[in-house]
Amino acid sequence: MCASTVWPRLRRLVDRMVEITVWDTSAVLPVVREPDPARIGQHGMEIVNALCRSIQIVPREIGKQITVRLALSDAAAV
């Protein structure tokens, strides 16, 4: 199994938020870095942190599981 393998799954809608869970086989936990427009790459958690209401990172026996909640806008409800 490749360490970069990621399995996404839309879990559910909770309190007008989409809860999304992904997991992979890498034990390396993600890090939210300070914004740096000169840095090439590694902006993923910076973007996730800016967009999501909550982020939960849970180490697993093999790899980790990350669950985020993304708020739905009123415009999305129409």
Side-chain angles (χ1 to χ4, degrees):
M1 192 177 295
C2 177
S4 63
T5 302
V6 176
W7 294 278
R9 185 175 111 191
L10 170 62
R11 289 186 66 190
R12 57 187 175 163
L13 294 175
V14 179
D15 299 326
R16 298 197 40 81
M17 289 186 271
V18 177
E19 185 175 90
I20 302 167
T21 300
V22 297
W23 59 96
D24 67 24
T25 56
S26 172
V28 178
L29 299 179
V31 176
V32 178
R33 298 173 184 260
E34 292 297 318
D36 180 0
R39 184 177 66 239
I40 297 174
Q42 299 186 359
H43 294 278
M45 283 304 294
E46 181 182 332
I47 295 167
V48 169
N49 193 46
L51 294 175
C52 295
R53 292 278 174 96
S54 68
I55 302 171
Q56 179 185 35
I57 302 167
V58 179
R60 296 292 184 196
E61 185 176 328
I62 298 175
K64 64 190 165 291
Q65 175 179 309
I66 302 171
T67 300
V68 299
R69 285 189 175 179
L70 180 64
L72 297 173
S73 71
D74 290 337
V78 284

